[in-house]
Coordinates of all heavy atoms in Angstrom, one line a residue:
W29 N 7.8 -1.3 -9.2 CA 7.7 -2.7 -9.8 C 6.4 -3.3 -9.5 O 5.5 -2.6 -9.0 CB 8.9 -3.5 -9.2 CG 9.1 -4.8 -10.0 CD1 9.1 -6.1 -9.5 CD2 9.3 -5.0 -11.4 NE1 9.3 -7.0 -10.5 CE2 9.4 -6.3 -11.7 CE3 9.4 -4.1 -12.5 CZ2 9.6 -6.8 -12.9 CZ3 9.6 -4.6 -13.8 CH2 9.7 -5.9 -14.0
T31 N 4.6 -4.9 -7.5 CA 4.5 -5.3 -6.1 C 3.5 -4.4 -5.4 O 3.3 -3.2 -5.8 CB 5.8 -5.3 -5.4 OG1 6.3 -4.0 -5.4 CG2 6.8 -6.3 -6.0
P32 N 2.9 -4.8 -4.3 CA 1.9 -4.0 -3.6 C 2.4 -2.6 -3.1 O 1.7 -1.7 -3.2 CB 1.6 -4.8 -2.3 CG 2.2 -6.2 -2.5 CD 3.1 -6.2 -3.6
N33 N 3.7 -2.5 -2.7 CA 4.1 -1.2 -2.2 C 4.2 -0.2 -3.4 O 3.8 1.0 -3.2 CB 5.5 -1.3 -1.5 CG 5.4 -1.9 -0.2 OD1 4.5 -1.5 0.6 ND2 6.2 -2.9 0.2
G34 N 4.6 -0.7 -4.5 CA 4.7 0.2 -5.7 C 3.3 0.7 -6.1 O 3.0 1.8 -6.5
K36 N 0.6 1.2 -4.4 CA 0.0 2.2 -3.5 C 0.2 3.6 -4.2 O -0.7 4.4 -4.3 CB 0.7 2.3 -2.2 CG 0.6 1.1 -1.3 CD 1.6 1.2 -0.1 CE 1.7 0.1 0.8 NZ 2.8 0.2 1.8
T55 N 13.0 -5.8 -9.3 CA 13.7 -6.2 -8.1 C 14.1 -7.7 -8.1 O 15.0 -8.1 -7.5 CB 12.7 -6.0 -6.8 OG1 11.5 -6.6 -7.1 CG2 12.5 -4.5 -6.6
Q60 N 17.4 -2.8 -8.0 CA 17.3 -1.8 -6.9 C 18.7 -1.6 -6.3 O 18.9 -0.6 -5.5 CB 16.3 -2.3 -5.9 CG 16.7 -3.5 -5.0 CD 16.3 -4.8 -5.6 OE1 16.3 -5.0 -6.8 NE2 16.0 -5.8 -4.8
F61 N 19.6 -2.4 -6.6 CA 21.0 -2.2 -6.1 C 21.9 -1.5 -7.1 O 23.1 -1.4 -6.8 CB 21.6 -3.6 -5.7 CG 20.9 -4.3 -4.6 CD1 20.0 -5.3 -4.8 CD2 21.1 -3.8 -3.3 CE1 19.3 -5.9 -3.7 CE2 20.4 -4.4 -2.2 CZ 19.5 -5.5 -2.4
F65 N 20.0 3.7 -8.8 CA 18.8 3.7 -7.9 C 19.2 3.9 -6.5 O 18.5 4.6 -5.7 CB 18.0 2.3 -8.1 CG 16.7 2.4 -7.3 CD1 15.7 3.2 -7.7 CD2 16.6 1.6 -6.2 CE1 14.5 3.3 -7.0 CE2 15.4 1.7 -5.4 CZ 14.3 2.5 -5.8
N71 N 18.0 2.8 0.7 CA 17.4 1.6 1.3 C 17.0 0.6 0.2 O 16.3 -0.4 0.5 CB 16.1 2.0 2.1 CG 15.6 0.9 3.0 OD1 16.4 0.1 3.5 ND2 14.3 0.9 3.2
H72 N 17.4 0.8 -1.0 CA 17.2 -0.1 -2.1 C 15.8 -0.8 -2.2 O 15.7 -2.0 -2.3 CB 18.3 -1.2 -2.2 CG 18.5 -2.0 -1.0 ND1 17.7 -3.1 -0.7 CD2 19.3 -1.9 0.1 CE1 18.1 -3.7 0.4 NE2 19.0 -3.0 0.9
K73 N 14.8 0.0 -2.1 CA 13.4 -0.6 -2.2 C 12.5 0.4 -3.0 O 12.7 1.6 -2.9 CB 12.7 -0.7 -0.8 CG 13.4 -1.8 0.0 CD 12.7 -2.0 1.4 CE 13.5 -2.9 2.3 NZ 13.5 -4.3 2.0
I74 N 11.7 -0.2 -3.8 CA 10.6 0.5 -4.5 C 9.5 0.6 -3.5 O 9.3 -0.3 -2.7 CB 10.2 0.0 -5.9 CG1 9.6 -1.4 -5.8 CG2 11.4 -0.1 -6.8 CD1 8.2 -1.5 -5.7
P75 N 8.6 1.6 -3.6 CA 8.6 2.7 -4.5 C 9.4 3.8 -4.1 O 9.7 4.0 -2.9 CB 7.1 3.1 -4.5 CG 6.7 2.9 -3.1 CD 7.4 1.6 -2.7
W85 N 11.2 8.4 -0.7 CA 11.0 7.0 -0.7 C 10.2 6.7 0.6 O 10.1 7.6 1.5 CB 12.3 6.2 -0.8 CG 13.4 6.7 0.0 CD1 14.3 7.7 -0.4 CD2 13.9 6.2 1.2 NE1 15.3 7.8 0.5 CE2 15.1 7.0 1.5 CE3 13.5 5.3 2.2 CZ2 15.8 6.8 2.7 CZ3 14.2 5.1 3.3 CH2 15.4 5.8 3.6
E86 N 9.7 5.5 0.8 CA 8.8 5.0 1.8 C 7.4 5.4 1.3 O 7.0 6.6 1.2 CB 9.0 5.6 3.2 CG 10.0 4.9 4.0 CD 9.7 3.4 4.3 OE1 8.5 3.1 4.5 OE2 10.6 2.5 4.2
S87 N 6.6 4.4 1.0 CA 5.3 4.6 0.4 C 4.4 5.6 1.2 O 3.7 6.5 0.6 CB 4.5 3.3 0.2 OG 4.4 2.6 1.4
G88 N 4.4 5.5 2.5 CA 3.6 6.4 3.3 C 4.0 7.9 3.1 O 3.2 8.8 3.0
I90 N 5.5 9.1 0.5 CA 5.2 9.5 -0.8 C 3.8 9.9 -0.9 O 3.4 11.0 -1.5 CB 5.6 8.4 -1.8 CG1 7.1 8.1 -1.8 CG2 5.1 8.8 -3.2 CD1 7.5 6.9 -2.6
Q122 N -0.5 0.9 8.6 CA -0.2 -0.1 7.6 C 1.3 -0.3 7.5 O 1.7 -1.5 7.4 CB -0.7 0.4 6.2 CG -0.8 -0.6 5.1 CD 0.6 -0.9 4.5 OE1 1.5 0.0 4.5 NE2 0.8 -2.1 3.9
T123 N 2.1 0.7 7.6 CA 3.5 0.5 7.4 C 4.1 -0.3 8.6 O 5.2 -0.9 8.4 CB 4.3 1.8 7.2 OG1 4.1 2.7 8.3 CG2 3.9 2.5 5.9
M184 N -3.1 2.6 1.2 CA -2.0 1.9 1.8 C -2.3 0.4 2.0 O -1.4 -0.4 1.8 CB -1.6 2.6 3.1 CG -1.0 4.0 3.0 SD 0.7 4.0 2.3 CE 1.7 3.3 3.6
W188 N -2.0 -4.8 -0.7 CA -1.6 -6.0 0.1 C -2.8 -6.9 0.4 O -2.7 -8.1 0.2 CB -1.0 -5.5 1.4 CG 0.4 -5.0 1.4 CD1 0.8 -3.7 1.3 CD2 1.6 -5.8 1.3 NE1 2.1 -3.6 1.2 CE2 2.6 -4.9 1.2 CE3 1.8 -7.1 1.3 CZ2 4.0 -5.3 1.1 CZ3 3.1 -7.6 1.2 CH2 4.2 -6.6 1.1
Ligands
LIG20 N1 8.4 0.3 3.9 C1 8.6 0.3 2.5 C2 8.7 -1.1 1.9 C3 9.1 -1.1 0.5 C4 9.4 -2.6 0.0 O1 9.5 -3.5 0.8 N2 9.6 -2.7 -1.3 C5 10.0 -4.0 -1.8 C6 9.0 -4.4 -3.0 S1 7.3 -4.5 -2.4 C7 11.4 -4.0 -2.4 O2 11.7 -3.0 -3.2 N3 12.2 -4.9 -2.1 C8 13.6 -5.0 -2.7 C9 14.6 -5.1 -1.6 O3 14.3 -5.2 -0.4 O4 15.8 -5.2 -2.0 C10 7.5 1.2 1.8 O5 6.4 1.2 2.3 O6 7.8 1.8 0.8

Side-chain angles (χ1 to χ4, degrees):
W29 192 236
T31 60
N33 285 312
K36 298 168 183 172
T55 53
Q60 71 274 32
F61 293 102
F65 188 68
N71 192 33
H72 58 82
K73 289 183 194 291
I74 62 92
W85 43 277
E86 278 298 319
S87 55
I90 297 171
Q122 193 280 335
T123 58
M184 291 289 287
W188 281 102

